[in-house]
Amino acid sequence: MVISMIAAVSENNIIGQDNKLVWNLPTDTQYYKDTVRNKTIIMGRKTAESPDMFFSKKRNILITRKENYQKENFEVTSGLEEALKLTDDNEEVIITGGGQIYKMGMEVADRLYITRVHTEIEGDTSFPMIDPKIWKVTSERKLEANEKNEYSFSFLIYERI
Ligand SMILES: NC(=O)c1ccc[n+]([C@@H]2O[C@H](COP(=O)([O-])OP(=O)(O)OC[C@H]3O[C@@H](n4cnc5c(N)ncnc54)[C@H](OP(=O)(O)O)[C@@H]3O)[C@@H](O)[C@H]2O)c1
């Protein structure tokens, strides 16, 4: 199994505020959808309840400590380890946030799809530090801001060294 994480992250590592994203970047949203659409995805309960939530066509797994919590189109589990146990050995599983789940995922992930948004911004939720001793960039593509996308950003793929 390959365990990946996907996130859009500002230069100061912010990913969200008030359970929402902090930018409008339709090109990144499209990249996100194309990347996760046919994959099993795992997320925290708060991200699952965010208005920016996007469903995979394959499988959507949610992590919560709440007992008897249910949400349409989600399989509900009590932790990241439990969520990963539900998945197949031969698939790529993508952790889609948010801050609490990325923190746990950083310990087990093999690959990171990071959109680095080239701005410093305020927010209440962060992505963990990406240690260059542990992660190497294997792909990088920069896009400039335009009438649709309010900031410039880079699509980066990291693999664990
Ligand atoms: N920029 C991006 O790419 C991106 C992507 C995703 C999300 N986000 C942003 O991230 C923010 C949400 O992140 P967040 O950190 O607040 O919440 P989160 O990680 O989405 O979800 C947190 C919830 O997960 C459950 N949880 C966490 N640790 C657990 C554990 N060890 N065992 C069982 N359940 C556990 C708890 O649910 P219960 O409270 O139900 O027990 C907890 O409240 C939003 O602003 C969202 O927009 C940004």
Side-chain angles (χ1 to χ4, degrees):
M1 186 202 311
V2 175
I3 303 173
S4 302
M5 303 212 289
I6 187 165
V9 187
S10 74
E11 295 287 359
N12 55 330
N13 295 325
I14 292 297
I15 60 165
Q17 166 82 41
D18 298 329
N19 215 27
K20 292 198 292 273
L21 296 176
V22 276
W23 35 61
N24 181 31
L25 300 170
T27 303
D28 178 56
T29 304
Q30 193 57 50
Y31 173 79
Y32 173 84
K33 290 179 177 177
D34 292 344
T35 307
V36 307
R37 180 174 286 113
N38 296 311
K39 302 282 163 69
T40 295
I41 60 175
I42 298 175
M43 72 196 78
R45 193 263 308 161
K46 289 189 181 168
T47 293
E49 291 183 352
S50 161
D52 306 309
M53 163 57 205
F54 173 76
F55 283 108
S56 158
K57 283 188 192 161
K58 189 174 181 192
R59 214 167 167 190
N60 301 276
I61 303 177
L62 175 160
I63 301 174
T64 179
R65 292 189 184 87
K66 295 183 198 296
E67 280 183 32
N68 305 321
Y69 180 92
Q70 291 190 342
K71 191 164 171 60
E72 204 178 347
N73 298 319
F74 279 100
E75 294 168 66
V76 177
T77 57
S78 59
L80 182 57
E81 217 176 299
E82 290 75 8
L84 290 169
K85 276 188 201 149
L86 294 176
T87 64
D88 296 336
D89 281 350
N90 55 356
E91 66 174 334
E92 181 184 17
V93 175
I94 308 188
I95 295 168
T96 61
Q100 294 182 34
I101 308 304
Y102 288 140
K103 209 169 158 190
M104 294 191 282
M106 214 58 185
E107 307 296 321
V108 294
D110 307 295
R111 180 179 300 149
L112 308 175
Y113 299 96
I114 300 296
T115 300
R116 184 61 73 178
V117 184
H118 299 303
T119 184
E120 304 243 333
I121 202 161
E122 281 185 24
D124 59 20
T125 316
S126 305
F127 193 85
M129 198 198 64
I130 301 172
D131 185 342
K133 293 201 284 298
I134 298 177
W135 298 97
K136 67 165 188 278
V137 175
T138 57
S139 166
E140 182 166 8
R141 183 159 61 98
K142 186 172 182 190
L143 285 89
E144 296 303 332
N146 56 26
E147 63 284 353
K148 278 195 344 201
N149 299 288
E150 57 183 333
Y151 303 112
S152 68
F153 53 93
S154 299
F155 292 128
L156 297 157
I157 300 177
Y158 293 83
E159 303 282 345
R160 187 181 284 277
I161 295 169

